[in-house]
Amino acid sequence: MRKEQMETIPTTAEAICLQRGASLPHAHGVMFSSALPGASELSDSCKPLKKRSRASTDMEMASPGYREINDSDSRGLLHEVGLEKRLDSPVVPPDADVSDETSMDSCLSRRGAGSSKKDSICQICEKPGESLVPCEGECCRVFHIECLGPAELPNGKFTCMECTTGNHTCFSCKLSGKVVKRCSVNSCGRFYHESCLRGYSSAMFEGKGFRCPLHCCSSCLADNRETAKATKGRMMRCLRCPVAYHTGESCIAAGSLVLSPHSIICNNHSSLKKSSRASLQVNVSWCFICARGGRLLCCETCPASFHPECLNIEMPEGNWYCNNCKVGKKSRYKEIVWVKLGIYRWWPAEICNPKSVPLNIQAMKHHIGEFPVRFFGSNDYYWVHQGRVFPYLEGDKGNVSDGRAGGINEIFKKALEEAAKRFQELKALKECKEALENERNERKPPAYRFIKANKPVGKVQIRIADMSEIPRCNCKPTDENPCGLDSECLNRILMYECHPAVCPAGEKCQNQCFSKRLYPDSELVRTDVRGWGLRTKVDIKKGQFVTEYVGELIDEEECRNRIKHAHEANITNFYLLTLTKDRIIDAGPKGNLSRFMNHSCNPNCETQKWTVMGDARVGLFALCDVRAGSELTFNYNLDCLGNGKTVCKCGAPNCSGYLGVRPKTAAATANEEKAKNAKKKLKKRKTKMDVRKMHEDYCFRCCDGGELVMCDKKDCPKAYHLSCLNLTKPPFGKWECPWHHCNVCGTTSTCFCDFCPSSYCREHQKGALTTSALEGRPCCSEHDPSCPAEFVLSSSVSLQNNSAAEDTGEETNE
C-alpha cells in the first residue's frame, strides 16, 4: 500500500491512535498524560504490583515465581503454576473474565509438562483432553468424541471423513479438489498442493516426496542458519498452518499460543479484530535505510518504511511486505525493541515471556499475537503486537528532546541507558551460547544418514546386468594373486569388477572390492582449517582400493533444485559427484565415510569409475603409498559440482588457490619460483636516484627571464643572461658564476649577497655586507637594507635601459 509521510524527524513520529488508551512509561507513579481518557486507571493496571512501587516491583521480579525462564527450564515453555492458583491471586478476582485466547500463559499452557512426543490435541476444538480418538487413516490426527458428534462416533477403529473419502484438504490453502500429496514423514500426516509447498523455503523436496515446513524451524531458517541446524531438534508445530519452531523461548515467535509441549497456534493467527483500534499497526515516518522522511513505502505487517528509490524499486500497487516479513522473521522473547503507544515517542522496551511478568499483567485481557513488553526507564508493562514494534540496534539513541516540557525527557534518557546496557548483556549471552554450540558441534561431525550402497531417488534407476553380460577374465585360481593388484587381470585393467560366479578364480578372486566392501580401516579426524577429514589407520599400497563414494543417485533436475535450495539456505558444503551424464551422486544427506574426504591439489587418492554388475560405480584408489595416520584426500577438480569459487586450503606446494581449478604443474611451479626470485633480486638491488640540480628561471642579476647560462658549481641554482655577464658566447667547459668569486680579488668567496652576484673573500668581507630588513638576509652596499628587493627591480630596469642605449649608440655609429 502506498503511504505518504511528510515528517522528517524519525523519533518523534506519532501514533495513528492510542492503543486502548494506555499510557506509556511514567516515573514514580506520576502520569504525564492525565488528559487521556481512562489514562489513570489503565496506567495503574500496567504497573506490575498491587502497591505500584518501583522497589516492590524489583522484589517481585527477583522472586522465584517471576524469574526469567530460559531454555533449560521447560522444553514446552510450561511451568508448574496451576489455573486454580492463578484465580486465587489477590490481583485477579474469582469472577474475573480471563480470556481463553490468552498467549503463552494461557490455562492450556499451564498444564503439566509431562507429555508424549506425539501431542494429543483435538483438531476440532484445539484443546487437549483424555477422551481423544486417533484416526487410523493417513492423517494421523486425534479428535474428542464429543467434538465428532453422534453421527461420527467410532465403532472399534475410527477413520475421519477425509481419510474415508480420500479427499484431503491442503494444510496450507485449506482447499481440496486438486491433487494433494502427503508429507514423506510417517508421523506427520499433512497434505499439500505442490504449488502451495513451493512457496515455502523450508520445504525440502526429495525426489518424488517432500518434507513439509513443519519439520524445519522458521526462526533458524530466517536467521540464515544451515538447514541441518534448522531441522534438528524438537519442534513446536502450529495446528493451523505449516509453521514450526524449536522448543524453548529462543526460537518461538512472541505472541504464539502454546497448547502443549509440541503444539502451538502461531502469531500469524491473531485473534484481534481487524477493525479494532488495538489491531492497527504504526509505521515509522522515516526510511529505514537513509533515515529521512518523505514519500515512503510501508510494510503491511510491521512498522518498517522505505523510500522506493532506496530499494531500487518502483512504487508497487496494493499491499507490500518487507523482506523480513517475507522470510518469516518475527519478534522473539528477550529481544530489545522500539515500541509505539499512543502519543508517546518510540520507546525502548524488552519483550518478556508471559510467564515471567507479574500476575496482574498476565491477567490483562490480550489476544493471540500479542506479547508483553517491559518499558525501560519506568519498568511498566503493556501488551502489544508485531505491528507496533521494530528491533533495537546497537547504537540507537532516539530523539532525547522532542520539544515537550517536563521530566519525561529525563526518563527517556534513563530508558536509553538501560536499553543499551541490557542489549549488551543479551548480546554477550547470545555469543556465549553460540560459542558453546559451536564447541559441541566441533566434537562430532555433522549429522547424516549412513548407507552402504547408492540409493536411487525419483526416476533414477540402478542397472543390474545379466550373468551373460559380465566379462570373464583369464586369471587362474592357481596364480599367486589371482585378479590382484599386481596381476594381469583383464577386468582389472578395463576397470570391471569380477563376479565370483563368472571369474575363473572363483572365491580366490581379489577383484571384488566393491561388492565385498574391502575398505582399509579409517577414522574421522578434526583438521585445523578444513573441518572434518578421513584418516587411515593402516598402511595403504599404491593402487589399492580405499573406499567407494556412496550417496543418493539423483538426476540433473534434482541436482539443480538441491543446489538452488542450498544457496537459499546459505549451505556452503556440497557432496555432489558426477557418475554418468544423467546421474549424480549426492553424499550430503546420505553416504558413508568417503563424504568426509577433503580436497587436495596434491592428493594421495583418486576417483576411478568402475563397472560393477553392469552399473557404474565410483571408487577411490591410492595414488601412492600412504602411511598409517595420514589424511586421505582426492582432487575435486572436474569431478564435483556446486563448489564454485571456493578458496582452497589444502596447503600443497602446487595449490591452485581455488576448488575446481586445475593445480599447477611442476614446470609452472618452477617458473613461478624463478619469477619470485627475480623480483626479490630487483628489490634488493639499490638503484641510484637521479637527482638533478634545479636552476632558477630568472637571471640573478637583472631578475628577468629568457635564455640563461647555468652555473655548473654543485648545488648552485643561479642563472644569468650573457649580456648581464658581459659575454657574447656561452662559456666553454665547466663554468662557475661570479657569485663564487670575490668582487675585489677574484678568489673564492666566503660571504655572499642574497640579492645580487656580489660576494667577498675572507680578507675583504669585513664591512662589505649588512643585515637587511627582509628576514635578516645579508645584502651588499648596492642595496637599501630597509627594502633591498625594490633596489633589485630598479637596478634591473636601469641595466635594461643602459643596454638598450648601448645598442642604439652602436647602430648610430655604424
Side-chain angles (χ1 to χ4, degrees):
M1 179 180 291
R2 269 187 283 182
K3 299 181 182 180
E4 294 191 6
Q5 304 277 0
M6 300 306 296
E7 300 181 40
T8 58
I9 303 177
T11 54
T12 58
E14 304 300 337
I16 298 174
C17 67
L18 178 63
Q19 181 178 357
R20 284 180 277 186
S23 65
L24 193 81
H26 47 84
H28 304 288
V30 179
M31 279 294 302
F32 289 97
S33 181
S34 59
L36 298 174
S40 59
E41 297 84 1
L42 290 175
S43 172
D44 288 340
S45 67
C46 292
K47 284 194 166 295
L49 292 177
K50 188 174 182 182
K51 292 185 178 181
R52 318 297 182 197
S53 64
R54 183 81 48 81
S56 58
T57 299
D58 297 337
M59 292 175 61
E60 282 277 357
M61 291 300 293
S63 64
Y66 302 120
R67 63 187 176 89
E68 291 184 353
I69 307 298
N70 54 28
D71 291 347
S72 62
D73 288 337
S74 172
R75 294 192 178 275
L77 292 175
L78 306 177
H79 56 80
E80 302 298 331
V81 181
L83 176 61
E84 295 78 15
K85 183 175 180 179
R86 176 179 176 179
L87 294 179
D88 294 338
S89 173
V91 294
V92 184
D95 57 346
D97 182 17
V98 181
S99 175
D100 290 336
E101 293 179 334
T102 54
S103 184
M104 292 178 60
D105 63 322
S106 65
C107 304
L108 295 174
S109 68
R110 292 173 178 273
R111 304 285 181 183
S115 176
S116 61
K117 189 173 181 180
K118 180 67 178 177
D119 281 335
S120 298
I121 303 293
C122 177
Q123 300 297 312
I124 298 176
C125 66
E126 296 178 344
K127 294 181 180 180
E130 297 179 357
S131 57
L132 289 169
V133 179
C135 176
E136 298 294 334
E138 294 182 323
C139 68
C140 301
R141 297 181 296 175
V142 293
F143 304 88
H144 282 127
I145 297 178
E146 55 269 21
C147 294
L148 293 173
E152 298 186 28
L153 287 177
N155 294 321
K157 294 184 178 181
F158 166 69
T159 305
C160 68
M161 185 61 67
E162 288 187 4
C163 294
T164 303
T165 60
N167 186 19
H168 294 277
T169 59
C170 174
F171 189 58
S172 177
C173 66
K174 310 301 179 185
L175 298 177
S176 59
K178 298 181 180 179
V179 178
V180 291
K181 295 182 180 180
R182 187 180 185 273
C183 177
S184 59
V185 179
N186 293 331
S187 60
C188 181
R190 306 298 184 186
F191 290 81
Y192 299 88
H193 295 123
E194 185 175 353
S195 58
C196 295
L197 205 61
R198 293 287 181 184
Y200 293 92
S201 59
S202 54
M204 293 170 287
F205 291 87
E206 302 172 347
K208 294 182 179 180
F210 60 86
R211 288 168 61 93
C212 72
L214 288 176
H215 310 286
C216 181
C217 178
S218 299
S219 294
C220 292
L221 205 63
D223 290 341
N224 296 326
R225 295 188 181 180
E226 294 182 0
T227 307
K229 293 182 180 179
T231 57
K232 187 178 179 181
R234 296 184 179 181
M235 299 288 176
M236 306 176 73
R237 299 178 175 89
C238 182
L239 290 180
R240 300 181 183 179
C241 68
V243 171
Y245 302 100
H246 281 123
T247 56
E249 65 177 5
S250 59
C251 287
I252 188 170
S256 299
L257 170 63
V258 175
L259 303 175
S260 69
H262 299 282
S263 296
I264 62 171
I265 297 177
C266 68
N267 63 353
N268 292 329
H269 311 283
S270 175
S271 57
L272 282 168
K273 295 181 180 179
K274 295 184 178 180
S275 58
S276 64
R277 298 176 66 186
S279 65
L280 293 177
Q281 70 175 96
V282 182
N283 289 95
V284 299
S285 58
W286 66 91
C287 176
F288 267 21
I289 298 177
C290 66
R292 296 179 181 178
R295 185 166 173 261
L296 297 171
L297 180 61
C298 301
C299 180
E300 294 294 327
T301 55
C302 74
S305 298
F306 302 89
H307 291 126
E309 51 271 19
C310 292
L311 297 176
N312 296 322
I313 61 174
E314 298 291 334
M315 182 68 77
E317 297 291 338
N319 296 340
W320 181 82
Y321 302 92
C322 65
N323 290 335
N324 285 345
C325 294
K326 287 179 181 178
V327 300
K329 214 165 190 178
K330 303 286 186 179
S331 299
R332 300 178 220 171
Y333 299 112
K334 290 187 179 180
E335 276 191 359
I336 311 299
V337 293
W338 293 95
V339 184
K340 180 66 175 175
L341 283 184
I343 64 172
Y344 292 93
R345 71 191 87 182
W346 289 93
W347 202 279
E350 179 180 358
I351 301 178
C352 301
N353 191 309
K355 301 189 303 294
S356 65
V357 300
L359 289 178
N360 62 317
I361 304 301
Q362 296 180 23
M364 293 177 63
K365 186 176 180 180
H366 51 278
H367 302 267
I368 298 175
E370 291 187 317
F371 45 85
V373 294
R374 182 178 66 86
F375 293 99
F376 292 106
S378 67
N379 211 29
D380 284 341
Y381 292 83
Y382 206 82
W383 291 83
V384 296
H385 56 83
Q386 183 75 25
R388 288 180 177 267
V389 300
F390 67 89
Y392 173 97
L393 300 179
E394 188 173 4
D396 284 356
K397 296 181 179 179
N399 189 6
V400 177
S401 179
D402 61 350
R404 303 179 189 180
I408 195 169
N409 287 332
E410 297 299 325
I411 304 174
F412 188 67
K413 290 180 182 178
K414 180 182 177 182
L416 292 176
E417 295 175 359
E418 293 179 359
K421 182 179 179 181
R422 180 61 174 162
F423 183 85
Q424 294 300 328
E425 292 176 357
L426 294 175
K427 182 180 178 182
L429 289 174
K430 184 178 180 181
E431 292 175 353
C432 182
K433 183 178 178 181
E434 290 178 352
L436 292 174
E437 183 180 355
N438 293 334
E439 185 180 354
R440 285 196 302 267
N441 293 336
E442 288 179 356
R443 296 175 184 172
K444 55 183 180 180
Y448 75 102
R449 185 176 176 182
F450 182 83
I451 56 175
K452 296 181 179 180
N454 291 327
K455 300 294 182 182
V457 175
K459 300 178 181 179
V460 179
Q461 295 181 353
I462 295 179
R463 183 175 179 270
I464 300 177
D466 189 72
M467 287 292 182
S468 59
E469 298 177 0
I470 298 176
R472 179 187 179 92
C473 66
N474 53 2
C475 298
K476 299 178 182 179
T478 57
D479 294 342
E480 184 177 357
N481 293 311
C483 305
L485 186 62
D486 300 327
S487 66
E488 297 180 357
C489 177
L490 186 62
N491 282 350
R492 181 177 284 274
I493 295 173
L494 298 176
M495 295 185 182
Y496 279 86
E497 185 176 88
C498 297
H499 194 279
V502 178
C503 181
E507 294 297 331
K508 294 184 179 181
C509 176
Q510 298 180 13
N511 187 23
Q512 299 175 23
C513 298
F514 284 88
S515 301
K516 296 181 179 180
R517 302 187 184 94
L518 303 178
Y519 308 149
D521 195 11
S522 58
E523 62 180 353
L524 293 179
V525 61
R526 183 76 181 180
T527 63
D528 294 333
V529 294
R530 295 185 294 168
W532 291 90
L534 190 63
R535 182 172 62 189
T536 177
K537 289 184 177 181
V538 297
D539 294 337
I540 301 176
K541 294 182 180 180
K542 180 180 178 180
Q544 183 179 343
F545 178 69
V546 177
T547 185
E548 181 185 1
Y549 197 86
V550 171
E552 292 182 322
L553 286 181
I554 58 177
D555 55 14
E556 291 186 3
E557 182 181 359
E558 178 65 18
C559 177
R560 286 193 294 268
N561 292 335
R562 292 191 179 189
I563 292 177
K564 180 181 177 182
H565 181 268
H567 286 307
E568 293 175 352
N570 289 333
I571 298 175
T572 57
N573 295 326
F574 295 87
Y575 303 88
L576 301 167
L577 191 142
T578 304
L579 180 62
T580 58
K581 63 179 182 178
D582 54 353
R583 292 188 301 173
I584 299 163
I585 301 175
D586 184 7
K590 300 176 183 178
N592 60 3
L593 294 181
S594 63
R595 68 192 296 278
F596 293 101
M597 292 181 65
N598 285 317
H599 163 85
S600 176
C601 295
N602 187 22
N604 52 22
C605 298
E606 67 173 350
T607 56
Q608 294 181 9
K609 193 180 299 182
W610 282 57
T611 303
V612 181
M613 287 292 295
D615 195 21
R617 307 263 282 270
V618 174
L620 289 146
F621 293 80
L623 285 171
C624 57
D625 292 338
V626 183
R627 299 183 62 181
S630 302
E631 184 183 357
L632 299 173
T633 59
F634 71 100
N635 194 341
Y636 293 175
N637 186 27
L638 302 180
D639 287 327
C640 291
L641 303 176
N643 287 301
K645 275 286 186 180
T646 305
V647 177
C648 180
K649 300 178 182 179
C650 68
N654 63 333
C655 180
S656 61
Y658 295 95
L659 298 181
V661 180
R662 289 186 179 275
K664 302 169 186 174
T665 60
T669 305
N671 292 334
E672 285 189 1
E673 288 294 330
K674 289 181 181 179
K676 288 181 180 178
N677 294 333
K679 288 182 180 179
K680 289 180 180 179
K681 290 181 179 179
L682 289 175
K683 289 181 180 179
K684 291 181 180 179
R685 190 179 298 169
K686 294 183 179 180
T687 57
K688 293 183 179 180
M689 298 294 295
D690 187 13
V691 180
R692 295 188 177 182
K693 186 170 56 178
M694 300 299 296
H695 286 85
E696 296 174 353
D697 296 328
Y698 54 90
C699 178
F700 188 43
R701 182 177 294 277
C702 67
C703 300
D704 216 354
E707 293 185 5
L708 302 174
V709 179
M710 312 298 178
C711 178
D712 293 331
K713 188 174 179 64
K714 185 179 180 181
D715 299 329
C716 181
K718 305 304 179 184
Y720 303 86
H721 292 119
L722 289 176
S723 58
C724 293
L725 296 173
N726 294 323
L727 297 175
T728 57
K729 294 181 180 179
F732 180 78
K734 189 175 181 180
W735 175 76
E736 293 183 356
C737 68
W739 200 39
H740 306 289
H741 303 280
C742 178
N743 286 5
V744 179
C745 61
T747 57
T748 303
S749 301
T750 56
C751 59
F752 308 89
C753 177
D754 280 3
F755 304 97
C756 70
S758 299
S759 60
Y760 302 91
C761 63
R762 289 183 179 178
E763 295 181 1
H764 302 100
Q765 68 181 3
K766 187 176 181 180
L769 300 177
T770 58
T771 302
S772 67
L774 187 62
E775 299 177 355
R777 296 163 63 185
C779 64
C780 62
S781 58
E782 297 180 2
H783 307 283
D784 183 7
S786 61
C787 190
E790 292 183 2
F791 180 81
V792 171
L793 293 175
S794 62
S795 61
S796 65
V797 173
S798 63
L799 285 172
Q800 292 176 0
N801 292 337
N802 292 337
S803 61
E806 291 176 359
D807 295 340
T808 305
E810 290 177 359
E811 291 177 359
T812 305
N813 294 333
E814 287 178 1

